[in-house]
C-alpha cells in the first residue's frame, strides 16, 4: 500500500496523507523567495506537519527571502544568475544558527551542489527525498509536473530507483503547467486556481496507445503544491512540498 505521501486528486477540502510528526526541537532554515508564495506555503506545511499544538512546541524557523532572479530564465540561458544571492542566503541562515536548511523549490536544486559547499549546515535534498517517496510507494511510472527548466535538465532522474522511468507532459500540457505556476506567482486566488487545476489534471492524458499510463503524478514545482487537490479521485499525487517538509521534520 502507498505510504505517507499519497494524496488523491479532485476535491475541495485540504487533506494530507503524511502522518504528523512529534514536537521538533531543531531550528529549520528556509531559503525564501523561490518563489515567495511557495516559500510561505512550505513554512505553513512545516508548522502543520510538526504535530505541535502550543506556541512553544512549534519548530523554530528562520526564513531569509532575497529578491532572486528567475532560476528558470538563468538555467535556460537567458537571465542573470541567482547564485550569488542564494549563497548569501544560506550563509545568513548558517549564521542564524539553523540545524538544517530547506530550499522549497525543485528548480533551485540545480544550484544545491554549490550551496552545500558554501556552508557546513546540511541542506535537505528535495530531489532525493522525492525519489525515496516514489520508491516507498512503489511507483515506477511517475509523471513529473514541473518547470520547463526542471524538465529540460532532468533534475529528478539521477535520483530515481532502478526501474523507475520518468514521464513528462507534451508541449501543450507543459505550457499549461507554466501558466499555472505563473498565475500562482502573480497572486491569483488559490481556491479558484485549485479547482481549475483539479479539472485539468483529471483530464490529462499522457503516453501513446499501448503504453501503460503513469501510476502517479508528481507535483514537482512548489507553486503547484499550493494547488494540490485533496479528496478522492483517480490520480495519485506526490507533493514535493509535503515531502520536503516531512524530511526536515524527521529526527
Amino acid at each position: 500500500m502507498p505510504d505517507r505521501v499519497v494524496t488523491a486528486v479532485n476535491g475541495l477540502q485540504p487533506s494530507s496523507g503524511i502522518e504528523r510528526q512529534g514536537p521538533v526541537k531543531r531550528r529549520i532554515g528556509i531559503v525564501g523567495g523561490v518563489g515567495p508564495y511557495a516559500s510561505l506555503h512550505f513554512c505553513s506545511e512545516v508548522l502543520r506537519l510538526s504535530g505541535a499544538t502550543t506556541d512553544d512546541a512549534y519548530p523554530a524557523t528562520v526564513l531569509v527571502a532575497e529578491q532572486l532572479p528567475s532560476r528558470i530564465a538563468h538555467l535556460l540561458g537567458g537571465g542573470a544568475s541567482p547564485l550569488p544571492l542564494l549563497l548569501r542566503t544560506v550563509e545568513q541562515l548558517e549564521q542564524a544558527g539553523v540545524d538544517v536548511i530547506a530550499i522549497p523549490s525543485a528548480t533551485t536544486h540545480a544550484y544545491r551542489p554549490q550551496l552545500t559547499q558554501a556552508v557546513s549546515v546540511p541542506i535537505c535534498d528535495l530531489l532525493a527525498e522525492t525519489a525515496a517517496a516514489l520508491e516507498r510507494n512503489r511507483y515506477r511510472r511517475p509523471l513529473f509536473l514541473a518547470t520547463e527548466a526542471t524538465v529540460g535538465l532532468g533534475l529528478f532522474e539521477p535520483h530515481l530507483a532502478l526501474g523507475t522511468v520518468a514521464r513528462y507532459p507534451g508541449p501543450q500540457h507543459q505550457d499549461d503547467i507554466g501558466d499555472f505556476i505563473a498565475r500562482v506567482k502573480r497572486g491569483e486566488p488559490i481556491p479558484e486556481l485549485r479547482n481549475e487545476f483539479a479539472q485539468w489534471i483529471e483530464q490529462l492524458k499522457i503516453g501513446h496507445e499501448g503504453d501503460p499510463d503513469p501510476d502517479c503524478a508528481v507535483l514537482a514545482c512548489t507553486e503547484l503544491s499550493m494547488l494540490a487537490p485533496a479528496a478522492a479521485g483517480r490520480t495519485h499525487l506526490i507533493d514535493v512540498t509535503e515531502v520536503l517538509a516531512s524530511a526536515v521534520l524527521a529526527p
Side-chain angles (χ1 to χ4, degrees):
M1 292 292 292
D3 71 5
R4 304 184 304 165
V5 295
V6 179
T7 304
V9 169
N10 204 9
L12 300 178
Q13 299 300 320
S15 171
S16 172
I18 293 184
E19 297 172 359
R20 288 182 177 270
Q21 312 290 329
V24 176
K25 296 301 182 182
R26 60 169 45 180
R27 190 175 180 88
I28 299 169
I30 301 171
V31 176
V34 291
Y37 286 112
S39 301
L40 293 177
H41 176 65
F42 172 75
C43 188
S44 176
E45 287 295 276
V46 167
L47 299 179
R48 182 177 67 85
L49 295 171
S50 69
T53 57
T54 60
D55 291 353
D56 60 350
Y58 284 100
T61 57
V62 180
L63 185 148
V64 176
E66 297 281 1
Q67 292 177 304
L68 293 166
S70 169
R71 282 76 58 212
I72 298 172
H74 178 249
L75 293 169
L76 295 178
S81 174
L83 185 57
L85 285 176
L86 287 169
L87 288 167
R88 186 164 80 182
T89 297
V90 295
E91 289 165 356
Q92 288 176 321
L93 290 170
E94 182 175 48
Q95 292 166 8
V98 302
D99 300 303
V100 64
I101 293 174
I103 307 171
S105 162
T107 302
T108 309
H109 273 65
Y111 307 95
R112 183 178 175 274
Q114 297 98 312
L115 301 179
T116 57
Q117 293 176 7
V119 293
S120 59
V121 178
I123 300 177
C124 196
D125 191 337
L126 177 152
L127 307 177
E129 294 291 344
T130 301
L134 291 168
E135 181 66 11
R136 285 196 304 272
N137 286 275
R138 301 178 184 177
Y139 290 135
R140 292 290 180 261
R141 303 183 306 278
L143 173 66
F144 285 91
L145 308 180
T147 67
E148 183 182 359
T150 296
V151 171
L153 294 173
L155 291 181
F156 284 93
E157 293 180 27
H159 303 275
L160 299 178
L162 186 65
T164 300
V165 179
R167 304 279 190 92
Y168 300 103
Q172 181 56 59
H173 290 140
Q174 186 62 50
D175 288 345
D176 293 341
I177 292 167
D179 184 60
F180 279 117
I181 294 169
R183 292 167 68 187
V184 171
K185 288 180 180 292
R186 287 198 298 266
E188 292 191 20
I190 293 300
E192 290 85 347
L193 278 177
R194 183 180 291 123
N195 289 338
E196 185 179 338
F197 185 70
Q199 296 173 13
W200 178 85
I201 202 170
E202 281 295 300
Q203 297 169 4
L204 187 61
K205 302 295 183 183
I206 298 295
H208 303 286
E209 187 174 352
D211 289 340
D213 290 334
D215 50 11
C216 72
V218 181
L219 300 182
C221 171
T222 50
E223 273 82 20
L224 296 181
S225 297
M226 297 177 64
L227 306 183
R234 61 184 176 82
T235 304
H236 292 293
L237 297 181
I238 296 289
D239 177 351
V240 297
T241 294
E242 288 189 341
V243 169
L244 184 62
S246 182
V248 298
L249 290 167

